[in-house]
């Protein structure tokens, strides 16, 4: 469905051609929602820059454009504001029609893309045998949301988990594994090492203390890399254990990912080096193979190299990313690759992309984007830690959020004198707790650091998951109270807008499409959260001002339609954030 903004934009583009000729065909008329709602609903700002270009008075230019607009069906007569803004007020009759169309549209007006080509979203990507920390949680939540939005828009999305499952640390881990579980490799049953992070710490301790152990670990790396059966088996056991632990978290978050770890690209690493060599951009620097970069210099201003093969001939993180990039373009044949990691890796990706371009690995038809995000901090503004100063385990973090949610719920039930089953309490706390964690993360501009606070994320008021879930549940309670089936409000539906709060809500419901397109462009999920928050507020204002069940027909049905449309919009919007709604809470 064409949104009002798109419709106005098209109309202005036609008017620009009529006013000034074909040369003005592709100019963006700069239509936005009005900054000051007293003057209208939308405004077009094009007269100002255009006047400058044409050496004329902007109000005069605005006047000429207005004469050539044919918006009678859509807007009241446009007015010129301030130095030359064109103000547009949408006619209620037009809104009513558009809302009816929206109501009947199963995708709520969001168009599907055609022949889009595939997209890879590379996200989550924890490291085997190391902590899956809050940074990975952020990547997981943001990456999932971006994937959901692109999927809904009709892109074929490959959700890749680029787990860190290769590297010299495996020499140490395998050696330690053989030491503490000597028969692990011969037993058929899957090994349960327990807490793998702890295992890693102990292995590291052994490594640091004992030079024989160090030597054995180094030999183990060489054996693993040369494909030795037993070493591969031990490595596999360690990966399996980690995988099981990660999967618990993904299941609880209801997030799907396809694992394709760093090790997958091992067979292609040598070829990356060859490719760079063929392009004549590979240089030896202090024994290492490098590509020198533009725009990256060290403290004394000398150009920095990207190392792709260390002096011991080993490959590194960057080599793997170059191989992955090639594979994704050549074999997966995707047109867009999105990487979701903390902003600490911005330079890494800028460098990899630059080298890939230089090496002709990355054609102009493929778009690569790094989606960076800030740190997660505790309420004291420092790194998030437990009270005793340890890193927080993700499992504990989610449990805690659910506990908080349960507490809040039990208090609420008591104060409302309600009795609910244990099953209800479990289900609501689980959904509210997990949703709160996700929403708190997504509602922040991802670039900034974010302060993790259970109290804030679970508050019933403000831009939080519970507020949004509550608005949805409230709408469902209206239908229960009035014995209404939202799915059957009649064949020939008609939305009538009378009250100001009703018009306001109606207009806003029509902006979902624009919002989704904006998130798709900027990859900023907080824009969608802002929209849903604003929508819930507008709905609550409408609900306070306009009786629904107590109104007479045809207003009653019209208002029920608005209620249901709001609920559907919230449900869809939240589902794109990875949050499921509750009919009752
Ligand atoms: N494993 C990495 C980390 O924990 C993130 C990997 C991101 N993806 C990539 N293609 N480099 O920092």
């Amino acid at each position: 469905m064409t949104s009002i903004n798109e419709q106005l934009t098209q109309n202005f583009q036609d008017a620009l051609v009529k006013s000034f000729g074909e040369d003005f065909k592709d100019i963006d008329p700069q239509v936005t929602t009005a900054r000051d709602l007293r003057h209208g609903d939308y405004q077009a700002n094009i007269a100002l820059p255009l006047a400058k270009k044409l050496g004329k008075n902007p109000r005069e230019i605005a006047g000429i454009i207005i004469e050539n607009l044919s918006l009678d069906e859509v807007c009241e007569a446009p007015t010129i504001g301030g130095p030359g803004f064109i103000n547009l007020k949408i006619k209620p009759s037009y809104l009513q029609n558009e809302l009816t169309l929206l109501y009947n549209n199963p995708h709520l007006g969001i168009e599907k893309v055609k022949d889009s080509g595939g997209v890879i979203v590379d996200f989550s990507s924890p490291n085997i045998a190391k902590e899956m920390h809050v940074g990975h949680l952020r990547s997981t939540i943001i990456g999932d949301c971006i994937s959901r939005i692109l999927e809904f828009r009709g892109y074929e999305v490959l959700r890749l988990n680029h787990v860190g499952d290769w590297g010299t640390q495996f020499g140490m881990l395998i050696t330690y594994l053989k030491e503490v579980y000597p028969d692990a490799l011969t037993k058929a049953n899957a090994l349960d090492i327990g807490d793998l992070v702890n295992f890693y710490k102990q292995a590291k301790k052994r490594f640091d203390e004992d030079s024989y152990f160090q030597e054995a670990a180094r030999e183990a790396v060489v054996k693993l890399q040369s494909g030795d059966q037993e070493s591969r088996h031990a490595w596999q056991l360690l990966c399996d254990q980690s995988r099981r632990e990660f999967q618990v978290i993904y299941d609880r978050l209801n997030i799907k990912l396809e694992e394709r770890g760093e090790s997958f690209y091992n067979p292609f690493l040598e070829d990356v080096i060859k490719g760079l060599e063929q392009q004549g951009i590979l240089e030896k620097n202090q024994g290492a193979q490098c590509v020198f970069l533009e725009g990256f210099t060290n403290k004394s201003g000398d150009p920095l190299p990207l190392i792709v093969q260390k002096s011991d001939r080993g490959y590194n993180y960057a080599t793997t990313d170059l191989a992955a990039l090639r594979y994704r373009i050549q074999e997966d044949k995707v047109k867009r690759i999105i990487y979701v990691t903390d902003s600490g890796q911005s330079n890494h990706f800028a460098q990899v992309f630059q080298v890939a371009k230089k090496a002709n690995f990355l054609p102009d038809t493929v778009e690569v984007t790094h989606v960076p995000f800030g740190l997660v901090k505790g309420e004291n503004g420092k790194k998030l830690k437990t009270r005793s100063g340890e890193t927080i385990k993700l499992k504990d973090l989610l449990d805690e959020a659910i506990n908080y949610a349960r507490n809040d719920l039990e208090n609420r039930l008591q104060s409302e004198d309600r009795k609910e089953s244990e099953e209800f309490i479990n289900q609501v706390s689980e959904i509210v707790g997990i949703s709160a964690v996700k929403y708190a993360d997504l509602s922040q501009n991802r670039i900034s650091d974010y302060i993790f606070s259970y109290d804030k994320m679970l508050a019933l008021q403000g831009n939080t998951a519970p507020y949004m879930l509550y608005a949805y549940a409230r709408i469902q309670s209206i239908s229960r109270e009035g014995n209404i089936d939202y799915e059957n409000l009649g064949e020939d539906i008609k939305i009538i807008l009378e009250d100001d709060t009703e018009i306001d809500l109606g207009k806003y419901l029509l902006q979902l499409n624009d919002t989704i397109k904006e998130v798709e462009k900027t990859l900023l999920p907080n824009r969608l959260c802002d929209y849903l928050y604003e929508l819930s507020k507008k709905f609550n204002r409408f609900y306070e001002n306009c009786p629904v069940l107590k109104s007479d027909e045809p207003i009653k049905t019209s208002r029920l339609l608005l209620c249901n449309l709001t609920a559907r919009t919230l449900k869809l919007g939240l589902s794109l954030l990875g949050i499921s709604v509750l009919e009752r809470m």
Side-chain angles (χ1 to χ4, degrees), residues 457-477:
M457 67 175 70
L458 283 154
L460 261 186
Q461 290 301 326
N463 192 7
T464 63
Y467 183 76
M468 240 60 66
L469 291 173
Y470 205 72
Y472 179 85
R474 184 180 213 179
I475 301 177
Q476 301 312 317
S477 76

PDB file of all heavy atoms in Angstrom, residues 457-477:
ATOM      1  N   MET A 457      13.371  -1.500  32.831  1.00  0.00           N
ATOM      2  CA  MET A 457      12.846  -2.246  31.685  1.00  0.00           C
ATOM      3  C   MET A 457      11.507  -2.901  31.998  1.00  0.00           C
ATOM      4  O   MET A 457      10.756  -3.233  31.105  1.00  0.00           O
ATOM      5  CB  MET A 457      13.859  -3.278  31.181  1.00  0.00           C
ATOM      6  CG  MET A 457      14.149  -4.425  32.109  1.00  0.00           C
ATOM      7  SD  MET A 457      15.250  -5.644  31.368  1.00  0.00           S
ATOM      8  CE  MET A 457      16.802  -4.780  31.305  1.00  0.00           C
ATOM      9  N   LEU A 458      11.210  -3.064  33.297  1.00  0.00           N
ATOM     10  CA  LEU A 458       9.952  -3.735  33.654  1.00  0.00           C
ATOM     11  C   LEU A 458       8.869  -2.760  34.108  1.00  0.00           C
ATOM     12  O   LEU A 458       7.772  -3.184  34.496  1.00  0.00           O
ATOM     13  CB  LEU A 458      10.215  -4.787  34.718  1.00  0.00           C
ATOM     14  CG  LEU A 458      10.840  -6.045  34.105  1.00  0.00           C
ATOM     15  CD1 LEU A 458      11.661  -6.807  35.111  1.00  0.00           C
ATOM     16  CD2 LEU A 458       9.767  -6.937  33.495  1.00  0.00           C
ATOM     17  N   ALA A 459       9.164  -1.464  34.064  1.00  0.00           N
ATOM     18  CA  ALA A 459       8.168  -0.474  34.501  1.00  0.00           C
ATOM     19  C   ALA A 459       6.931  -0.557  33.605  1.00  0.00           C
ATOM     20  O   ALA A 459       7.044  -0.756  32.404  1.00  0.00           O
ATOM     21  CB  ALA A 459       8.776   0.917  34.442  1.00  0.00           C
ATOM     22  N   LEU A 460       5.777  -0.384  34.243  1.00  0.00           N
ATOM     23  CA  LEU A 460       4.518  -0.443  33.480  1.00  0.00           C
ATOM     24  C   LEU A 460       4.266   0.845  32.718  1.00  0.00           C
ATOM     25  O   LEU A 460       3.427   0.906  31.843  1.00  0.00           O
ATOM     26  CB  LEU A 460       3.353  -0.708  34.428  1.00  0.00           C
ATOM     27  CG  LEU A 460       2.852  -2.141  34.515  1.00  0.00           C
ATOM     28  CD1 LEU A 460       1.610  -2.210  35.371  1.00  0.00           C
ATOM     29  CD2 LEU A 460       2.575  -2.750  33.152  1.00  0.00           C
ATOM     30  N   GLN A 461       4.983   1.895  33.092  1.00  0.00           N
ATOM     31  CA  GLN A 461       4.842   3.180  32.408  1.00  0.00           C
ATOM     32  C   GLN A 461       6.119   3.481  31.642  1.00  0.00           C
ATOM     33  O   GLN A 461       7.191   3.087  32.062  1.00  0.00           O
ATOM     34  CB  GLN A 461       4.595   4.310  33.422  1.00  0.00           C
ATOM     35  CG  GLN A 461       3.230   4.264  34.083  1.00  0.00           C
ATOM     36  CD  GLN A 461       2.092   4.333  33.080  1.00  0.00           C
ATOM     37  OE1 GLN A 461       2.194   4.997  32.057  1.00  0.00           O
ATOM     38  NE2 GLN A 461       1.004   3.622  33.356  1.00  0.00           N
ATOM     39  N   GLY A 462       5.983   4.199  30.548  1.00  0.00           N
ATOM     40  CA  GLY A 462       7.174   4.593  29.789  1.00  0.00           C
ATOM     41  C   GLY A 462       7.398   3.678  28.596  1.00  0.00           C
ATOM     42  O   GLY A 462       6.587   2.801  28.312  1.00  0.00           O
ATOM     43  N   ASN A 463       8.517   3.918  27.925  1.00  0.00           N
ATOM     44  CA  ASN A 463       8.808   3.190  26.688  1.00  0.00           C
ATOM     45  C   ASN A 463       9.384   1.809  27.017  1.00  0.00           C
ATOM     46  O   ASN A 463      10.582   1.570  26.860  1.00  0.00           O
ATOM     47  CB  ASN A 463       9.793   4.030  25.858  1.00  0.00           C
ATOM     48  CG  ASN A 463       9.923   3.507  24.441  1.00  0.00           C
ATOM     49  OD1 ASN A 463       9.198   2.598  24.033  1.00  0.00           O
ATOM     50  ND2 ASN A 463      10.852   4.077  23.697  1.00  0.00           N
ATOM     51  N   THR A 464       8.528   0.926  27.509  1.00  0.00           N
ATOM     52  CA  THR A 464       8.972  -0.399  27.944  1.00  0.00           C
ATOM     53  C   THR A 464       8.096  -1.476  27.312  1.00  0.00           C
ATOM     54  O   THR A 464       6.990  -1.198  26.861  1.00  0.00           O
ATOM     55  CB  THR A 464       8.809  -0.560  29.470  1.00  0.00           C
ATOM     56  OG1 THR A 464       7.408  -0.468  29.783  1.00  0.00           O
ATOM     57  CG2 THR A 464       9.560   0.507  30.240  1.00  0.00           C
ATOM     58  N   ALA A 465       8.585  -2.704  27.358  1.00  0.00           N
ATOM     59  CA  ALA A 465       7.781  -3.825  26.845  1.00  0.00           C
ATOM     60  C   ALA A 465       6.468  -3.969  27.606  1.00  0.00           C
ATOM     61  O   ALA A 465       5.403  -4.096  26.995  1.00  0.00           O
ATOM     62  CB  ALA A 465       8.591  -5.111  26.899  1.00  0.00           C
ATOM     63  N   PRO A 466       6.489  -3.944  28.962  1.00  0.00           N
ATOM     64  CA  PRO A 466       5.220  -4.111  29.672  1.00  0.00           C
ATOM     65  C   PRO A 466       4.167  -3.067  29.261  1.00  0.00           C
ATOM     66  O   PRO A 466       2.988  -3.399  29.128  1.00  0.00           O
ATOM     67  CB  PRO A 466       5.605  -3.934  31.145  1.00  0.00           C
ATOM     68  CG  PRO A 466       7.020  -4.362  31.206  1.00  0.00           C
ATOM     69  CD  PRO A 466       7.633  -3.947  29.895  1.00  0.00           C
ATOM     70  N   TYR A 467       4.589  -1.837  29.016  1.00  0.00           N
ATOM     71  CA  TYR A 467       3.626  -0.801  28.619  1.00  0.00           C
ATOM     72  C   TYR A 467       2.937  -1.184  27.313  1.00  0.00           C
ATOM     73  O   TYR A 467       1.728  -1.077  27.152  1.00  0.00           O
ATOM     74  CB  TYR A 467       4.347   0.542  28.469  1.00  0.00           C
ATOM     75  CG  TYR A 467       3.424   1.704  28.126  1.00  0.00           C
ATOM     76  CD1 TYR A 467       2.622   2.282  29.091  1.00  0.00           C
ATOM     77  CD2 TYR A 467       3.371   2.211  26.825  1.00  0.00           C
ATOM     78  CE1 TYR A 467       1.769   3.343  28.775  1.00  0.00           C
ATOM     79  CE2 TYR A 467       2.525   3.270  26.498  1.00  0.00           C
ATOM     80  CZ  TYR A 467       1.731   3.836  27.477  1.00  0.00           C
ATOM     81  OH  TYR A 467       0.901   4.870  27.155  1.00  0.00           O
ATOM     82  N   MET A 468       3.739  -1.663  26.375  1.00  0.00           N
ATOM     83  CA  MET A 468       3.225  -2.023  25.059  1.00  0.00           C
ATOM     84  C   MET A 468       2.338  -3.270  25.160  1.00  0.00           C
ATOM     85  O   MET A 468       1.273  -3.332  24.571  1.00  0.00           O
ATOM     86  CB  MET A 468       4.410  -2.343  24.146  1.00  0.00           C
ATOM     87  CG  MET A 468       4.521  -1.476  22.932  1.00  0.00           C
ATOM     88  SD  MET A 468       4.699   0.248  23.331  1.00  0.00           S
ATOM     89  CE  MET A 468       6.284   0.223  24.111  1.00  0.00           C
ATOM     90  N   LEU A 469       2.802  -4.245  25.923  1.00  0.00           N
ATOM     91  CA  LEU A 469       2.040  -5.491  26.081  1.00  0.00           C
ATOM     92  C   LEU A 469       0.713  -5.198  26.770  1.00  0.00           C
ATOM     93  O   LEU A 469      -0.321  -5.789  26.458  1.00  0.00           O
ATOM     94  CB  LEU A 469       2.838  -6.507  26.909  1.00  0.00           C
ATOM     95  CG  LEU A 469       4.087  -7.073  26.227  1.00  0.00           C
ATOM     96  CD1 LEU A 469       4.888  -7.934  27.199  1.00  0.00           C
ATOM     97  CD2 LEU A 469       3.702  -7.899  24.999  1.00  0.00           C
ATOM     98  N   TYR A 470       0.761  -4.261  27.695  1.00  0.00           N
ATOM     99  CA  TYR A 470      -0.433  -3.896  28.439  1.00  0.00           C
ATOM    100  C   TYR A 470      -1.462  -3.245  27.524  1.00  0.00           C
ATOM    101  O   TYR A 470      -2.648  -3.540  27.598  1.00  0.00           O
ATOM    102  CB  TYR A 470      -0.029  -2.944  29.565  1.00  0.00           C
ATOM    103  CG  TYR A 470      -1.004  -2.973  30.704  1.00  0.00           C
ATOM    104  CD1 TYR A 470      -1.065  -4.084  31.549  1.00  0.00           C
ATOM    105  CD2 TYR A 470      -1.860  -1.908  30.951  1.00  0.00           C
ATOM    106  CE1 TYR A 470      -1.971  -4.132  32.583  1.00  0.00           C
ATOM    107  CE2 TYR A 470      -2.769  -1.950  31.988  1.00  0.00           C
ATOM    108  CZ  TYR A 470      -2.821  -3.065  32.808  1.00  0.00           C
ATOM    109  OH  TYR A 470      -3.723  -3.109  33.831  1.00  0.00           O
ATOM    110  N   ALA A 471      -0.973  -2.356  26.646  1.00  0.00           N
ATOM    111  CA  ALA A 471      -1.888  -1.692  25.698  1.00  0.00           C
ATOM    112  C   ALA A 471      -2.571  -2.753  24.844  1.00  0.00           C
ATOM    113  O   ALA A 471      -3.783  -2.699  24.617  1.00  0.00           O
ATOM    114  CB  ALA A 471      -1.115  -0.717  24.814  1.00  0.00           C
ATOM    115  N   TYR A 472      -1.803  -3.742  24.423  1.00  0.00           N
ATOM    116  CA  TYR A 472      -2.384  -4.808  23.588  1.00  0.00           C
ATOM    117  C   TYR A 472      -3.435  -5.590  24.386  1.00  0.00           C
ATOM    118  O   TYR A 472      -4.554  -5.815  23.920  1.00  0.00           O
ATOM    119  CB  TYR A 472      -1.284  -5.749  23.077  1.00  0.00           C
ATOM    120  CG  TYR A 472      -1.846  -6.871  22.238  1.00  0.00           C
ATOM    121  CD1 TYR A 472      -2.085  -6.696  20.878  1.00  0.00           C
ATOM    122  CD2 TYR A 472      -2.174  -8.099  22.813  1.00  0.00           C
ATOM    123  CE1 TYR A 472      -2.640  -7.713  20.106  1.00  0.00           C
ATOM    124  CE2 TYR A 472      -2.729  -9.121  22.059  1.00  0.00           C
ATOM    125  CZ  TYR A 472      -2.961  -8.925  20.701  1.00  0.00           C
ATOM    126  OH  TYR A 472      -3.519  -9.932  19.957  1.00  0.00           O
ATOM    127  N   ALA A 473      -3.062  -5.996  25.598  1.00  0.00           N
ATOM    128  CA  ALA A 473      -3.979  -6.802  26.419  1.00  0.00           C
ATOM    129  C   ALA A 473      -5.254  -6.017  26.746  1.00  0.00           C
ATOM    130  O   ALA A 473      -6.343  -6.589  26.805  1.00  0.00           O
ATOM    131  CB  ALA A 473      -3.274  -7.236  27.702  1.00  0.00           C
ATOM    132  N   ARG A 474      -5.090  -4.725  26.920  1.00  0.00           N
ATOM    133  CA  ARG A 474      -6.246  -3.881  27.225  1.00  0.00           C
ATOM    134  C   ARG A 474      -7.248  -3.927  26.071  1.00  0.00           C
ATOM    135  O   ARG A 474      -8.454  -4.022  26.278  1.00  0.00           O
ATOM    136  CB  ARG A 474      -5.740  -2.462  27.428  1.00  0.00           C
ATOM    137  CG  ARG A 474      -6.791  -1.497  27.843  1.00  0.00           C
ATOM    138  CD  ARG A 474      -6.144  -0.146  28.015  1.00  0.00           C
ATOM    139  NE  ARG A 474      -6.792   0.602  29.064  1.00  0.00           N
ATOM    140  CZ  ARG A 474      -6.404   1.825  29.431  1.00  0.00           C
ATOM    141  NH1 ARG A 474      -5.351   2.374  28.855  1.00  0.00           N
ATOM    142  NH2 ARG A 474      -7.046   2.463  30.360  1.00  0.00           N
ATOM    143  N   ILE A 475      -6.746  -3.868  24.862  1.00  0.00           N
ATOM    144  CA  ILE A 475      -7.637  -3.899  23.697  1.00  0.00           C
ATOM    145  C   ILE A 475      -8.353  -5.252  23.634  1.00  0.00           C
ATOM    146  O   ILE A 475      -9.536  -5.327  23.323  1.00  0.00           O
ATOM    147  CB  ILE A 475      -6.846  -3.638  22.396  1.00  0.00           C
ATOM    148  CG1 ILE A 475      -6.154  -2.282  22.486  1.00  0.00           C
ATOM    149  CG2 ILE A 475      -7.769  -3.687  21.183  1.00  0.00           C
ATOM    150  CD1 ILE A 475      -5.291  -1.925  21.301  1.00  0.00           C
ATOM    151  N   GLN A 476      -7.629  -6.310  23.995  1.00  0.00           N
ATOM    152  CA  GLN A 476      -8.278  -7.626  23.988  1.00  0.00           C
ATOM    153  C   GLN A 476      -9.335  -7.706  25.082  1.00  0.00           C
ATOM    154  O   GLN A 476     -10.366  -8.364  24.906  1.00  0.00           O
ATOM    155  CB  GLN A 476      -7.244  -8.746  24.168  1.00  0.00           C
ATOM    156  CG  GLN A 476      -6.153  -8.786  23.110  1.00  0.00           C
ATOM    157  CD  GLN A 476      -6.681  -8.691  21.693  1.00  0.00           C
ATOM    158  OE1 GLN A 476      -7.678  -9.326  21.339  1.00  0.00           O
ATOM    159  NE2 GLN A 476      -6.053  -7.858  20.874  1.00  0.00           N
ATOM    160  N   SER A 477      -9.101  -6.998  26.174  1.00  0.00           N
ATOM    161  CA  SER A 477     -10.084  -7.063  27.258  1.00  0.00           C
ATOM    162  C   SER A 477     -11.377  -6.330  26.873  1.00  0.00           C
ATOM    163  O   SER A 477     -12.454  -6.686  27.330  1.00  0.00           O
ATOM    164  CB  SER A 477      -9.509  -6.519  28.563  1.00  0.00           C
ATOM    165  OG  SER A 477      -9.473  -5.109  28.520  1.00  0.00           O
TER     166      SER A 477
END
